[in-house]
């Protein structure tokens, strides 16, 4: 299984102190590409630099995470994204989070602007939607966004049906090992609508993740769906290639 090629569709590489080692371990473990996501202007700048230094392996996605939103910094963040979006494979991480203290109205305002940028630039979006699954989905659908992935989906299964019917994707993480809501979503979604990721450096059961751990995600998806890992790997890599418009090296 270690030779099966994989794509990590969501990693916060700019947070890693052991970045070089982590990238080497991932490549040695069969990871053929990593989508590095940003959360605000500072992290977006770092993501773009990391991608530049690792061209053809790390692909940048710049975004504005709802947790990072501050009214006085909104325009500077949006302006940076507008100026650099053409260098990216996606906008992300963006969305709504109704557990953070940022006002919901401000979150929706920023998210709406980001979706407009995505439409203008024809970029897919990587959606964060904690405790806001329905509202995030409705905003994406209302704005007729063509390509969206709902990151680490653990929301209602009824809504998942609508997400899939609209043509959108969901992503799987190593949390499949222990999270029933996440497990149920991945069981329900066709493998042709799933992306694999790690959300590096998030900790799962006390262990901080790295891009090489996308293999754990593969193993869990394969187990839950009763499919050979090679089948899941081939399909999810094809999904990532089509979604991000990237031709990953074999």
């Amino acid at each position: 299984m270690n030779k099966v090629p994989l794509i990590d569709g969501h990693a916060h590489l700019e947070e890693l102190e052991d970045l070089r080692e982590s990238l080497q371990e991932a490549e040695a473990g069969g990871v053929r590409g990593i989508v590095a996501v940003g959360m605000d202007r500072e992290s977006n700048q770092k993501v773009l630099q990391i991608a530049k230094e690792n061209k053809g392996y790390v692909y940048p996605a710049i975004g504005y995470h709802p947790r990072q939103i501050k009214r006085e910094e909104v325009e500077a963040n949006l302006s940076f994204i507008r100026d650099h979006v053409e260098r990216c494979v996606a906008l992300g991480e963006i969305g709504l989070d109704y557990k953070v203290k940022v006002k919901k109205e401000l979150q929706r305002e920023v998210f709406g602007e980001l979706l407009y940028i995505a439409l203008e630039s024809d970029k897919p979006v990587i959606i964060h939607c904690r405790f806001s699954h329905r509202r995030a989905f409705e905003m994406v659908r209302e704005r007729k966004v063509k390509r969206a992935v709902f990151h680490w989906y653990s929301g209602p299964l009824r809504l998942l049906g609508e997400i899939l019917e609209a043509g959108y994707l969901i992503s799987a993480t190593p949390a499949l090992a222990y999270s029933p809501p996440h497990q149920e979503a991945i069981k329900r979604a066709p493998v042709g609508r799933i992306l694999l990721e790690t959300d590096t450096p998030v900790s799962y059961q006390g262990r901080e993740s790295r891009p090489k751990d996308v293999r754990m995600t593969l193993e869990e998806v394969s187990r839950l769906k009763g499919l050979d890992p090679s089948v899941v790997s081939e399909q999810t890599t094809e999904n990532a290639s089509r979604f991000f418009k990237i031709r990953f090296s074999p």
Side-chain angles (χ1 to χ4, degrees), residues 3-17:
K3 293 184 179 179
V4 175
L6 293 168
I7 308 302
D8 184 352
H10 188 124
H12 298 273
L13 297 183
E14 84 286 358
E15 297 182 18
L16 303 184
E17 294 183 3

Side-chain angles (χ1 to χ4, degrees), residues 85-86 88-91 115-125 146-147 243-245:
V85 66
E86 294 302 332
C88 301
V89 299
L91 258 67
L115 292 175
Y116 181 70
I117 294 171
L119 281 171
E120 277 196 318
S121 57
D122 190 29
K123 299 293 181 182
V125 289
K146 294 178 181 178
R147 289 178 289 152
F243 183 78
F244 294 113
K245 294 187 177 179

Side-chain angles (χ1 to χ4, degrees), residues 51-68:
K52 182 179 179 180
E53 293 171 356
N54 297 276
K55 194 171 183 179
Y57 189 64
V58 174
Y59 300 88
I62 56 175
Y64 198 11
H65 194 290
R67 185 173 69 236
Q68 304 299 106

Side-chain angles (χ1 to χ4, degrees), residues 144-172:
K144 295 181 170 57
V145 172
K146 294 178 181 178
R147 289 178 289 152
V149 58
F150 288 79
H151 156 63
W152 195 338
Y153 189 81
S154 302
L157 294 180
R158 181 175 178 180
L159 178 60
L160 175 60
E162 296 179 54
I163 288 171
L164 298 173
E165 186 177 349
Y168 302 137
L169 282 66
I170 64 172
S171 66

Side-chain angles (χ1 to χ4, degrees), residues 5-6 24 29 33 55 60 62 74 81 84 96 101 104 120 136 138 140 154-155 172 177 183 199 202 214 216 218 228:
L6 293 168
Q24 289 173 348
K55 194 171 183 179
I62 56 175
V74 166
I81 291 170
H84 296 86
L96 304 172
K101 293 182 179 180
K104 294 178 182 179
E120 277 196 318
E138 289 175 347
V140 171
S154 302
Q183 291 169 353
D199 204 13
V202 166
V214 71
M216 295 168 58
L218 170 68
D228 188 274

Side-chain angles (χ1 to χ4, degrees), residues 127-195:
I127 307 297
H128 175 101
C129 51
R130 188 169 64 153
F131 295 104
S132 56
H133 298 92
R134 167 64 64 181
R135 191 70 182 99
F137 167 67
E138 289 175 347
M139 289 184 68
V140 171
R141 183 176 58 180
E142 286 166 3
R143 284 157 178 78
K144 295 181 170 57
V145 172
K146 294 178 181 178
R147 289 178 289 152
V149 58
F150 288 79
H151 156 63
W152 195 338
Y153 189 81
S154 302
L157 294 180
R158 181 175 178 180
L159 178 60
L160 175 60
E162 296 179 54
I163 288 171
L164 298 173
E165 186 177 349
Y168 302 137
L169 282 66
I170 64 172
S171 66
T173 74
L176 285 173
Y178 57 84
S179 169
H182 194 31
Q183 291 169 353
E184 289 305 313
I186 295 303
K187 285 179 183 177
R188 186 73 59 92
V191 70
R193 296 292 186 82
I194 296 173
L195 299 184

